[in-house]
Amino acid sequence: MRTLTQSRLWHVLALLWLLVLLGATGWLVLQHKDWTQRLDTDLFALLPRGERDTVTEQAMAVLAKSAERQLIVLVGSKDRDHAAQAATQLAAALKPLPLDAQAQSLDLATLRDFYAQYRSSLLAPADLAQLGKAGQDALLQRALTGAYSGVAPGALPWRDDPFGTYGNWLTSLGERSPVRPEGGQLWVEHGGLHYAVLSYTVRGSAFSLDIQRTVAQGLEQAIAQIQAPDIKVLRAGVALHAAKAATQAEHEMSTIGVGSLLGIVLLVLLTFRGWRALPLVALSVFTGTVIALALTFLLYPRVHMLTLVFGCSLIGVAVDYSLLLHSTSLGARVSAGARLERLLPSLLLATVFTAVAYLSLMLTPFPGLAQIAVFAATGIASAWLSELIWYPRLAPAQLQAGWLGRPLLRLLARWPRLSTRQAWLALLIASPLLIGGLWQLERRDDIRALAALDAGLMQQQREVGDILALPSPAQLFVVDAADEQTLLARELQLTAALDQLKQQGRLQGYQAVSQWLLPLAEQQRRQALAAPLRATPLLIRLADEVGLPPAWITQQQQAGPLLAPATWLASPASLPARHLWLGHTPHGYASVVMLAGANGKDSLQALAALRLPGVHWVDKPAEISAVLGRYRDRLGLVLIAAYILTTLVLVLRYRRHAWRVLAPSLLASVATLALFGWLGIPLQLLTVLTLLLLLGMGMDYGIFVNEHPGEVRIRLAITLAAVCTLLSFGLLAFSHTPALSTFGIATLSGIGLAWLIAPLLRRPTPDAQLFTQEAPTP
Amino acid sequence: MRMLLALGLLLLATLAQAGDVVDQVARQLNRQRIASGNFVQVRELVGVKKALRSEGRFVVDKQRGVQWQTAKPFSNTLTIGRQQIVQQDGTQVLMRLSGDKEPAIRTVGTVLFATFAGDFATLQRYFTISGEVRSSDWQLQLVPKDAALGKLIGKLTLDGSAAIAHIRFDAASGDITRIEFRDVRFADQPGADETINTD
């Protein structure tokens, strides 16, 4: 008698699937070079694309782009000469690396020459406050003192800046950055140390793993080689974090991959006598991995490292089906094909639930999670297809229990079953623990959970940011208005408010276009304020005192031109602030005001509370955390809906026993949440996603156990499956990426409990063995 | 023979590297803590016909700072410490630049202080120093090491023997300042009217 699995169709399918597998393998091998280069380590790639208007998003993207190439090294010492010596050594050692030394963006002479034309409206804060009060005699004295004994080394000849106002303005520019050029080197002082500043941009693609590695390792070596006493080196750069994260991810991938593979091989060899169970297990893991990899690289131009780390843990899920089939073949007298056909309904149901659970990751706006979903669903589906198509041909007709298999079978045969009343009683006893845990569970989503940032590097990054007063690309203001002049005026209102925060010590500084380019109305106001300096009687007295020609008086009487935005933008003098000018947008004009040293909750709250016309506060980390939180709640609802929907489906098949299938997942989920409450791990988006997966996987156990409640070998199958899953996901608990580690812990507890609970709640039936009689079951 | 040797040394001295010149000048300078005397400062400003001449007294305390008391044409006191620069008109403070707020002031203060005090080790950090030494007289040119700074500062020329006799400052703007020191006296402790208050 020919069954379905022995039919011609199955034969063709088996060949086709083999061709697909060989094709995918060949393609991966051929593309090997290409796809290692397409590996993405960019942390930002995981974040959701913005839900806000494009202008802000564009601005954020541009700022992030320029920030991610930057590499800054500070070489500090109490003794300046030591620091200078070490910095020179370090700079020389960094020469061969793919780094471009960053030219000083602020050329003082260029600035001086450009702004000199507009000096009549450029006044330092002190002059702005004093000029109105000074009388003619005082002004004359001020000019003469400058002429006879000027100390400030010259911005302009005394003749062109007799009252020194322009010189004062240029000096006041120094307040915007603590960095000072000295002896051909940039210096900054902080906490009693002299730091030499080395600033670089990473050449080539900032997210090429090769380049990141070369830079990070080269820098490490160069620092180790410094031969000067008491040197403190601080480094900051996105490339360094990325290199560290990539190395860690690779390390984890190999640990998790090798660890779970070894565990599974050992488990299979010990449970089943001989090696004959192994090839199919290996084949399904191989198929799952290869097809998932190929499809992911085919679909996505860049594949994130996290996808692969997570993907490695899938090995433990992909073996489930072959373990199930092998377990039921222990002592079987029925052909492999017939066994498969008998188990097909439960297999199909289980796979669909698991794959759908993984695909639910795609419901989030996070590209990283969507990629993981595609990888996982493909991997599971192809592992399942392999079993379905090849098992009848390749499986040994019969397997015998091995060294570990026999005692396990004996043990599992004695697995207790709880009556409905006992089950309620057990729940009642456990409920205080569960409720207590749930009570303590807090909901918190933090973007940092997604990134495995090295604490040491992060600390250095923060220190460098503090010392150099670097503006943060994460929190800033976007200002917009219908026209350029209104925009600048609105910026001025904002910077006035920021000045107050600065005085309160909540802010170290800020960068704004209006620091360089005042609105025309304000330029006119300042010119008017400085009018006493252009008064004819004063100029005549001054010319008499020192001997200047009448032409000079005429020249000094002129107020001079005003600086227009177009002129400013066209000049190299706008270079220090041009990145802040977003220019013409669909709604008018916009600019960015960046902040430095706005650390701490209080500062951020004070900044977020500023309400000014056309001023928008952008807090990227908070925004992403909010998105994470929103999706956590949304997915919570999806989870509840999924339970309701599954219940309906299960009731159709299992009637009043449906709860036995569902309860393992549900109880395990509640218990996991309670455990998180006791452990103080907050409920995050990824936890909810884990619970969705738990619904899918935990239900597998429920389905298998209740489809064949009297069959001890099914219990063996789910035990093996659970152990494999625990092995691979459990290893994820040791990941340095907090999110993956939380995921690992949640799976450990959830899967472990679901596996323990499922057999306890199986349907009441006498023990019955499948496939031990010659005739196939109807 | 002795004559030849001396001649040879002299020749060597003029050909010597800058570092050696600085060492030699430093060796010639008096090492006592206090130097005080009178000064005459003449400024030649671009486009200004009159040479602006001022005079007064100065005190250099190698431990505390420099005090620059202009008496003519008007009275004015400039105190340069390592941390701040204060300009006073009688008792009224006209200008106070603090190094806490602006590290550049510390640099300016350090350079001015080092210039008057003949602290060449410090000056070499900021300037490329070249020059020549002839028996007891010497002359040094100081050019800023930093090219960008050079566009603002120009150069400094110093000459003297046991003490600095003249300083000439050529600003990049074209304004020239010449200072002549007279009646310089040295002491180990500040005199009654020579205490510099730099706090």
Side-chain angles (χ1 to χ4, degrees):
Chain A
M1 188 181 106
R2 284 165 78 94
T3 59
L4 177 64
T5 50
Q6 286 162 338
S7 66
R8 207 183 179 78
L9 172 72
W10 225 251
H11 200 73
V12 174
L13 278 178
L15 272 178
L16 273 179
W17 188 234
L18 183 67
L19 283 179
V20 171
L21 177 63
L22 288 177
T25 315
W27 184 74
L28 278 180
V29 171
L30 281 178
Q31 299 278 304
H32 175 77
K33 275 257 152 54
D34 176 55
W35 64 264
T36 44
Q37 270 170 12
R38 277 165 52 201
L39 274 182
D40 207 337
T41 54
D42 181 4
L43 300 174
F44 294 100
L46 292 170
L47 304 182
R49 266 163 236 116
E51 299 186 321
R52 54 171 52 245
D53 63 305
T54 47
V55 177
T56 314
E57 281 311 315
Q58 237 171 344
M60 300 294 290
V62 168
L63 290 175
K65 268 259 142 30
S66 70
E68 71 200 16
R69 284 171 160 275
Q70 207 170 37
L71 178 76
I72 296 173
V73 187
L74 298 185
V75 185
S77 169
K78 275 190 182 138
D79 187 314
R80 267 182 71 106
D81 295 336
H82 289 171
Q85 187 190 340
T88 314
Q89 273 178 20
L90 193 65
L94 293 180
K95 273 263 161 61
L97 297 182
L99 295 172
D100 289 320
Q102 222 170 26
Q104 202 185 318
S105 66
L106 210 75
D107 181 356
L108 288 170
T110 311
L111 282 183
R112 175 196 60 193
D113 296 343
F114 175 78
Y115 286 105
Q117 312 160 60
Y118 309 101
R119 60 181 179 275
S120 60
S121 61
L122 300 173
L123 299 170
D127 282 337
L128 210 52
Q130 281 168 12
L131 277 183
K133 297 177 215 156
Q136 203 186 85
D137 287 344
L139 289 175
L140 181 71
Q141 190 55 43
R142 173 172 167 164
L144 286 176
T145 308
Y148 276 94
S149 57
V151 270
L156 294 177
W158 176 87
R159 173 187 66 177
D160 296 330
D161 186 24
F163 301 96
T165 49
Y166 184 56
N168 286 350
W169 181 78
L170 279 177
T171 309
S172 75
L173 291 184
E175 284 173 22
R176 294 175 195 179
S177 163
V179 180
R180 297 289 172 267
E182 264 175 46
Q185 169 79 59
L186 292 177
W187 289 92
V188 64
E189 280 176 36
H190 193 266
L193 295 186
H194 300 272
Y195 291 96
V197 183
L198 301 176
S199 176
Y200 296 96
T201 45
V202 177
R203 212 181 294 151
S205 160
F207 283 106
S208 150
L209 202 53
D210 280 350
I211 293 178
Q212 287 168 359
R213 285 255 167 84
T214 318
V215 168
Q217 285 168 4
L219 181 60
E220 190 78 45
Q221 281 167 10
I223 291 172
Q225 280 165 10
I226 292 177
Q227 292 161 345
D230 316 320
I231 292 293
K232 179 178 181 187
V233 180
L234 295 171
R235 61 201 116 158
V238 175
L240 301 178
H241 286 288
K244 193 99 185 179
T247 310
Q248 229 162 45
E250 273 183 2
H251 178 71
E252 283 172 9
M253 256 162 70
S254 53
T255 317
I256 294 170
V258 170
S260 51
L261 261 182
L262 272 181
I264 289 164
V265 166
L266 212 65
L267 193 68
V268 170
L269 284 179
L270 290 178
T271 310
F272 304 103
R273 194 192 299 163
W275 54 269
R276 287 189 306 159
L278 207 53
L280 258 176
V281 171
L283 196 61
S284 71
V285 168
F286 181 72
T287 320
T289 316
V290 165
I291 304 276
L293 266 180
L295 197 77
T296 314
F297 273 103
L298 209 62
L299 283 180
Y300 294 95
R302 298 196 69 80
V303 175
H304 205 278
M305 287 294 267
L306 268 188
T307 307
L308 298 189
V309 174
F310 190 92
C312 267
S313 63
L314 271 180
I315 294 169
V317 183
V319 293
D320 282 12
Y321 309 112
S322 67
L323 288 176
L324 178 85
L325 289 167
H326 281 320
S327 298
T328 52
S329 74
L330 285 174
R333 300 228 182 97
V334 179
S335 76
R339 292 201 306 266
L340 177 70
E341 282 178 44
R342 172 76 172 80
L343 293 170
L344 201 56
S346 41
L347 266 177
L348 191 65
L349 207 59
T351 317
V352 168
F353 273 122
T354 312
V356 167
Y358 269 106
L359 282 176
S360 66
L361 291 174
M362 288 187 91
L363 293 175
T364 65
F366 299 91
L369 291 180
Q371 215 175 59
I372 288 176
V374 167
F375 191 98
T378 320
I380 287 171
S382 32
W384 181 77
L385 265 180
S386 303
E387 291 307 320
L388 190 67
I389 290 170
W390 291 334
Y391 185 79
R393 295 218 147 40
L394 302 180
Q398 199 193 30
L399 282 173
Q400 296 301 324
W403 180 78
L404 184 67
R406 263 170 287 135
L408 249 181
L409 274 173
R410 272 201 301 279
L411 194 72
L412 289 171
R414 284 205 294 267
W415 198 299
R417 202 192 75 82
L418 297 182
S419 68
T420 316
R421 185 185 300 174
Q422 284 169 324
W424 278 114
L425 197 67
L427 189 62
L428 199 71
I429 293 169
S431 57
L433 266 178
L434 295 180
I435 292 169
L438 290 178
W439 189 257
Q440 293 172 59
L441 187 67
E442 70 177 308
R443 298 186 304 165
R444 192 174 68 226
D445 264 293
D446 198 330
I447 179 207
R448 272 162 290 194
L450 281 176
L453 292 178
D454 184 80
L457 267 183
M458 204 57 218
Q459 176 58 32
Q460 291 190 31
Q461 179 103 23
R462 215 168 289 141
E463 246 182 282
V464 170
D466 278 353
I467 293 174
L468 296 181
L470 288 182
S472 149
Q475 283 118 349
L476 46 80
F477 286 101
V478 173
V479 185
D480 62 20
D483 58 88
E484 291 170 325
Q485 290 306 319
T486 317
L487 175 64
L488 291 171
R490 285 178 170 181
E491 251 198 28
L492 221 52
Q493 283 183 312
L494 172 62
T495 52
L498 293 179
D499 281 332
Q500 278 185 354
L501 289 175
K502 208 173 137 182
Q503 273 176 351
Q504 295 164 15
R506 289 167 189 259
L507 192 65
Q508 228 179 316
Y510 55 84
Q511 289 186 357
V513 172
S514 53
Q515 284 175 305
W516 304 95
L517 169 69
L518 287 168
L520 291 176
E522 180 62 19
Q523 289 183 48
Q524 276 160 347
R525 191 184 76 83
R526 293 189 184 188
Q527 270 190 349
L529 209 68
L533 304 181
R534 298 189 298 273
T536 317
L538 172 66
L539 291 174
I540 291 174
R541 279 175 71 186
L542 190 54
D544 278 354
E545 285 277 352
V546 300
L548 278 158
W552 176 81
I553 299 175
T554 329
Q555 211 176 36
Q556 290 296 314
Q557 285 169 325
Q558 310 298 320
L562 299 177
L563 179 54
T567 319
W568 181 74
L569 282 169
S571 114
S574 65
L575 213 59
R578 205 179 287 164
H579 60 286
L580 302 171
W581 185 253
L582 303 180
H584 201 60
T585 70
H587 316 293
Y589 286 84
S591 68
V592 168
V593 175
M594 294 182 83
L595 308 167
N599 301 323
K601 234 184 192 152
D602 286 355
S603 301
L604 291 178
Q605 267 171 5
L607 288 163
L610 287 180
R611 295 274 176 277
L612 292 165
V615 171
H616 314 280
W617 169 242
V618 180
D619 184 346
K620 199 75 187 166
E623 219 170 84
I624 292 167
S625 294
V627 172
L628 285 169
R630 205 159 55 241
Y631 275 90
R632 177 199 57 220
D633 292 347
R634 212 176 278 180
L635 276 175
L637 292 179
V638 170
L639 181 66
I640 292 168
Y643 267 99
I644 294 171
L645 212 71
T646 328
T647 311
L648 292 179
V649 175
L650 292 178
V651 164
L652 281 182
R653 186 168 170 85
Y654 300 101
R655 305 288 161 191
R656 62 192 182 82
H657 289 300
W659 68 274
R660 296 179 186 277
V661 180
L662 210 57
S665 306
L666 187 62
L667 288 176
S669 299
V670 172
T672 302
L673 288 180
L675 181 74
F676 273 33
W678 285 110
L679 291 180
I681 305 174
L683 176 64
Q684 325 164 15
L685 173 64
L686 262 167
T687 325
V688 180
L689 288 169
T690 318
L691 296 185
L692 263 172
L693 295 185
L694 189 59
L695 170 61
M697 290 194 278
M699 205 149 51
D700 282 9
Y701 306 154
I703 289 171
F704 287 130
V705 167
N706 284 292
E707 284 280 333
H708 320 283
E711 174 55 274
V712 65
R713 285 170 300 172
I714 290 287
R715 262 170 264 158
L716 175 67
I718 71 157
T719 304
L720 295 181
V723 170
C724 287
T725 310
L726 290 180
L727 252 176
S728 49
F729 283 118
L731 285 171
L732 217 48
F734 297 105
S735 170
H736 278 92
T737 308
L740 287 187
S741 149
T742 311
F743 181 86
I745 298 171
T747 328
L748 262 180
S749 127
I751 295 291
L753 285 171
W755 161 63
L756 285 174
I757 295 171
L760 288 177
L761 300 179
R762 66 185 184 270
R763 271 190 295 153
T765 15
D767 282 356
Q769 302 229 310
L770 291 167
F771 314 130
T772 44
Q773 271 99 52
E774 212 51 71
T777 19
Chain B
M1 191 63 201
R2 191 175 273 265
M3 184 75 174
L4 252 175
L5 200 69
L7 210 74
L9 277 175
L10 199 69
L11 213 78
L12 270 177
T14 45
L15 292 174
Q17 295 295 308
D20 300 330
V21 176
V22 169
D23 285 348
Q24 288 175 30
V25 172
R27 242 174 279 136
Q28 286 189 14
L29 285 173
N30 186 294
R31 293 213 182 88
Q32 282 171 290
R33 180 181 156 189
I34 307 289
S36 59
N38 299 320
F39 73 84
V40 175
Q41 174 174 298
V42 178
R43 297 196 83 201
E44 291 167 26
L45 305 177
V46 182
V48 176
K49 281 187 212 121
K50 217 162 106 184
L52 305 176
R53 185 189 154 99
S54 55
E55 23 182 302
R57 275 191 61 73
F58 76 93
V59 180
V60 176
D61 181 336
K62 285 179 186 167
Q63 286 171 14
R64 308 209 58 173
V66 178
Q67 191 158 328
W68 201 251
Q69 280 178 297
T70 310
K72 276 195 244 174
F74 34 76
S75 123
N76 185 301
T77 308
L78 181 73
T79 313
I80 302 162
R82 283 188 205 275
Q83 290 300 323
Q84 63 173 4
I85 300 176
V86 183
Q87 196 162 29
Q88 280 167 303
D89 169 10
T91 51
Q92 197 194 345
V93 175
L94 292 178
M95 175 185 78
R96 184 192 294 273
L97 297 169
S98 166
D100 298 338
K101 272 204 204 147
E102 177 46 68
I105 293 307
R106 221 157 9 183
T107 310
V108 174
T110 308
V111 167
L112 288 174
F113 185 22
T115 308
F116 288 120
D119 177 2
F120 292 110
T122 302
L123 286 175
Q124 263 178 320
R125 216 185 273 156
Y126 304 94
F127 298 94
T128 306
I129 304 179
S130 61
E132 52 192 270
V133 181
R134 261 191 224 95
S135 63
S136 66
D137 292 341
W138 51 266
Q139 191 186 47
L140 295 176
Q141 277 92 41
L142 285 71
V143 182
K145 275 186 180 169
D146 190 74
L149 214 63
K151 286 182 188 166
L152 296 178
I153 282 181
K155 67 168 184 182
L156 277 170
T157 313
L158 277 63
D159 67 54
S161 49
I164 299 171
H166 300 94
I167 296 178
R168 179 189 158 115
F169 170 51
D170 289 85
S173 63
D175 291 345
I176 298 167
T177 307
R178 265 198 291 255
I179 302 168
E180 192 186 331
F181 298 97
R182 291 174 181 170
D183 318 318
V184 182
R185 288 189 305 111
F186 298 102
D188 286 320
Q189 289 299 320
D193 56 341
E194 289 173 349
T195 308
I196 298 173
N197 189 7
T198 55
D199 300 328

